[in-house]
Amino acid sequence: MKIALIGKPKSGKSTVFNALSGLSVSTDKYAPAATEPNICVVPVLDERVSRLSEIYKPQKTIYANIEFRDYPGIFGGQIDSKENTLYNDIKTCEGFALVIRNFADDELDSLIGEVQPLQDFESFEEEMILNDLILAEKRLEKIHLDYKRGVKTPAIQLEEKVLEQICEHLRENKPLRTLELKEEEAKSLKGFAFFSAKPLMVILNSDEDGFGKNEEMIRAFEAKGIMAIEIAGRFEEELAKLEDEEAQMFMEDMGIQSSIKDRLIHQSYLMMGYISFFTVGEDEVRAWTIVKGDNALTAAGKIHSDLARGFIRAECFNYEQILEHGSEKVLKEKGLFRLEGKNYLVQDGEIVHIRFNV
Ligand SMILES: Nc1nc2c(ncn2[C@@H]2O[C@H](COP(=O)(O)OP(=O)(O)OP(=O)(O)O)[C@@H](O)[C@H]2O)c(=O)[nH]1
Ligand SMILES: [Mg+2]
């Protein structure tokens, strides 16, 4: 899973990135925008994987991971061609985390304007919506040109219909996230990547003094259907440099329940609607990521395309059950080993073994 840290210039994206990764990329106030994103891969240290690993004692334990990409602040300004490349890069991410400045800084006030989180959010949405509208309208123009040339297929006609629906929605200033499309309609748009269709969360980057006092603002984002979390970016960047125990002490003082890494991982899963299932054995215990509502066949395909192609049955049991009974042998004796078919909806925390034949 790739999550993009994006937002207006100097909103604290790289500060958040440093807090997450423990790295020290530049957060120079006066540095011009970078041309490339900073990238880190954060393991999802799911306690369930660790416990399963204790039970199976495999040679390898593989956690899921999330790639966070910290982009330069290209929003809220004119788009030039260099930024176009960055836009395309951003679109390869599955979800967006919009970092919004909520810390006082006189110098930044005069450089880029005052703190105004809700307005910053609105103008970001508008920018995304406008970008998508331009993209959709361009494609429609191309389709109409093709019609004049006699190129008209049912597939293109469906695409035209969906694009018109999309333009209408966008012209009402609504993000595509909130437009429901039928499966075949959505399919006809494969190949497009619309900004406003991506899952989005807000990271409200507050200063130490204000942290924890912004409930109302968080609620205001939620009222717009946007998940929002508050962090104290600069403070958490410093924490990432400390030993765990020391960091824990400071966190408690600030009333921070869990590290920014844990919170962002958790929030990313929620935002994407992702869940985990596990495969276990002597060679490997491993976590896999799927979308809630995915069936056993899709889960099999995640592991290997052969497993989906030759799918026979999925043997499943629950994480809690193996913890309670300690071994698969006991689970079998107790009849807790289930055989499920292709259409079975895999649940979060299930251990899955695919029987297949190719
Ligand atoms: N007081 C305070 N300052 C912060 C906080 N987060 C970031 N800053 C400061 O704001 C400035 C910009 O932070 P960056 O993390 O570089 O911002 P950015 O969004 O990555 O900037 P660009 O990539 O240039 O758009 C730096 O001087 C940071 O130290 C915060 O939570 N509190
Ligand atoms: Mg930066």
Side-chain angles (χ1 to χ4, degrees), residues 192-233:
F192 283 95
F194 289 111
F195 274 118
S196 72
K198 300 270 184 184
L200 175 74
M201 69 166 120
V202 161
I203 299 179
L204 189 64
N205 184 17
S206 303
D207 35 34
E208 258 170 80
D209 301 338
F211 180 81
K213 299 173 191 147
N214 293 289
E215 266 311 298
E216 217 170 290
M217 199 179 293
I218 298 283
R219 294 285 99 79
F221 284 116
E222 285 171 354
K224 295 175 190 289
I226 299 291
M227 266 199 269
I229 55 170
E230 184 184 28
I231 61 143

Side-chain angles (χ1 to χ4, degrees), residues 9-15 17 25-28 32-34 38 70-73:
K10 312 298 168 200
S11 55
K13 300 173 293 295
S14 300
T15 303
F17 178 83
V25 306
S26 164
T27 56
D28 183 348
N38 299 304
D70 161 34
Y71 289 92

Side-chain angles (χ1 to χ4, degrees), residues 236-283:
E236 304 212 27
E237 183 185 28
E238 292 304 316
L239 286 187
K241 296 180 189 149
L242 304 176
E243 296 294 327
D244 281 355
E245 240 169 70
E246 211 180 345
Q248 192 65 37
M249 239 169 52
F250 280 108
M251 270 166 60
E252 277 166 24
D253 277 356
M254 264 292 262
I256 301 173
Q257 313 272 332
S258 50
S259 73
I260 178 170
K261 201 195 296 187
D262 289 344
R263 290 176 72 201
L264 264 184
I265 289 173
H266 178 70
Q267 220 48 37
S268 301
Y269 271 78
L270 276 183
M271 169 173 82
M272 301 305 303
Y274 285 164
I275 57 170
S276 307
F277 74 93
F278 310 113
T279 50
V280 296
E282 281 169 12
D283 49 338

